[in-house]
Amino acid sequence: MATIELKSVRKSYGTAEVIEGIDLQIAHGEFCVFVGPSGCGKSTLLRMISGLESITDGDIVIGGEVVNDIPAADRGLAMVFQSYALYPHMTVRQNLSFGLENINTPKAEIDQKIENVAKMLQIDQLLARRPKDLSGGQRQRVAIGRAVVREPRVFLFDEPLSNLDAELRVDMRGEIASLHRRLGNTMIYVTHDQVEAMTLADKIAVLRLGQLEQFGAPLELFNRPRNMFVAGFIGSPKMNFIEGQVSADLKMLELASGEKIALPSSGFAIAAGQKVTMGVRPTELQPDETGPIALSVKSVELLGGESYIYGSLANGGAVTIHSLGQTSVGLGDTIQVSPKIEEVHLFDTDSTLSLRDE
């Protein structure tokens, strides 16, 4: 069973601590995505699991075995790198067979594995080519194929699609998801792209500054973010945040501009006078002639089937509206907008933690 446990895992470079005591459990067969902004420690954490990076403290447990002191080559893992890391002087077939030859796998077995994997990844017509003769998507398939032929317990992907164009990224994302369904192996995938995280993952680990902010299923993080960072990172476009103060009767959020927004009647633990930040996703905020919030429109994107309106509040706070269809709102307009009260999130402004009443 390829379960993975991180127990109080830390990593320091001198006095700089880049991974700060992470605890995490990934079940056998799960597709887990590490996501977060650049510099949050997600790639470092992946390299620690792989054995390419030592750990400063804590334990990494794979299949019930502590692997802190086990070399990378003996952990039963396979890693797919952002740079593909293919041998340029070798053909595709040779790139696929190299790792198996190093462990003295019989030639007939190597040939059979390569044929099976090449057909699965649709690179069977490319076996005689060298990497320089392949497109980016083809190189990525070869890099994945090299990992698959080794039949590892766990696949590790370090931002494997970041070098591809947008359309090819979507195609390859589908290929990786399909691969996971066919093989059923545990997979850990690192990306800064939260759309990739939402579409691929069984579980998402959101990281910031070496700390684990939240771990859970994609929709759990989307619907019930633990704090403002997770709320703003998960979802595209990002969540809007509107600061205010809870009214004496707990029914309104009073903005510094004098505007008042109705608060949910239940579901959140709030107090009169409390500084609260309301989170509203762009799809849950719409133009409304009687809406409580005035928005100064700074730009509009018309994409045919959908529209994006970008504006600012009276206090200068940025707001995005995403709606289906086309809009007549134009640059320079001032419009009234209204949130769907039942869909808003409330956070304590000082701590940034969710005020949801669990």
Side-chain angles (χ1 to χ4, degrees), residues 256-323:
S257 60
E259 297 164 310
K260 296 181 180 181
I261 309 172
L263 290 171
S265 59
S266 63
F268 295 93
I270 55 177
Q274 183 177 6
K275 293 181 180 178
V276 167
T277 299
M278 177 179 284
V280 188
R281 296 206 179 274
T283 52
E284 310 300 343
L285 187 66
Q286 296 299 321
D288 178 359
E289 290 182 0
T290 63
I293 312 167
L295 187 70
S296 177
V297 178
K298 302 302 181 184
S299 66
V300 178
E301 293 178 350
L302 300 175
L303 304 183
E306 57 186 345
S307 303
Y308 292 88
I309 301 170
Y310 303 95
S312 60
L313 303 172
N315 66 0
V319 166
T320 301
I321 298 173
H322 174 212
S323 59

Side-chain angles (χ1 to χ4, degrees), residues 99-160:
L100 297 176
E101 291 171 351
N102 280 349
I103 57 175
N104 299 316
T105 305
K107 185 177 184 307
E109 184 178 342
I110 292 175
D111 291 342
Q112 186 60 55
K113 286 184 176 182
I114 289 176
E115 293 301 324
N116 292 341
V117 169
K119 287 179 180 178
M120 182 195 312
L121 296 173
Q122 299 176 22
I123 55 173
D124 46 320
Q125 304 300 315
L126 308 175
L127 293 175
R129 297 189 188 180
R130 286 184 166 77
K132 66 180 179 63
D133 301 317
L134 305 177
S135 67
Q138 290 169 337
R139 292 179 191 179
Q140 189 60 77
R141 282 190 171 89
V142 175
I144 293 172
R146 186 174 56 185
V148 173
V149 294
R150 292 178 53 194
E151 299 180 350
R153 294 189 291 174
V154 180
F155 288 90
L156 307 176
F157 295 89
D158 190 6
E159 302 209 43

Side-chain angles (χ1 to χ4, degrees), residues 43-208:
S43 289
T44 299
L45 192 59
L46 190 77
R47 292 174 63 84
M48 291 163 69
I49 293 170
S50 73
L52 297 176
E53 193 82 54
S54 63
I55 70 172
T56 302
D57 197 14
D59 289 317
I60 296 176
V61 183
I62 301 176
E65 179 185 13
V66 176
V67 298
N68 296 7
D69 299 319
I70 295 179
D74 298 327
R75 294 191 182 188
L77 315 179
M79 193 156 176
V80 178
F81 296 92
Q82 177 181 351
S83 62
Y84 314 137
L86 301 176
Y87 297 107
H89 61 287
M90 293 183 181
T91 64
V92 169
R93 180 182 291 277
Q94 291 168 331
N95 268 282
L96 294 176
S97 67
F98 184 74
L100 297 176
E101 291 171 351
N102 280 349
I103 57 175
N104 299 316
T105 305
K107 185 177 184 307
E109 184 178 342
I110 292 175
D111 291 342
Q112 186 60 55
K113 286 184 176 182
I114 289 176
E115 293 301 324
N116 292 341
V117 169
K119 287 179 180 178
M120 182 195 312
L121 296 173
Q122 299 176 22
I123 55 173
D124 46 320
Q125 304 300 315
L126 308 175
L127 293 175
R129 297 189 188 180
R130 286 184 166 77
K132 66 180 179 63
D133 301 317
L134 305 177
S135 67
Q138 290 169 337
R139 292 179 191 179
Q140 189 60 77
R141 282 190 171 89
V142 175
I144 293 172
R146 186 174 56 185
V148 173
V149 294
R150 292 178 53 194
E151 299 180 350
R153 294 189 291 174
V154 180
F155 288 90
L156 307 176
F157 295 89
D158 190 6
E159 302 209 43
L161 308 184
S162 59
N163 291 329
L164 306 180
D165 62 51
E167 184 176 353
L168 192 51
R169 283 176 74 113
V170 173
D171 292 341
M172 284 303 302
R173 202 162 66 212
E175 291 285 345
I176 292 172
S178 177
L179 180 69
H180 179 248
R181 287 193 297 270
R182 287 196 297 265
L183 299 179
N185 294 62
T186 306
M187 294 186 177
I188 304 177
Y189 187 103
V190 163
T191 181
H192 64 276
D193 185 337
Q194 55 87 34
V195 175
E196 283 183 16
M198 290 291 289
T199 54
L200 285 172
D202 296 316
K203 295 284 184 65
I204 297 176
V206 182
L207 301 172
R208 177 174 62 158

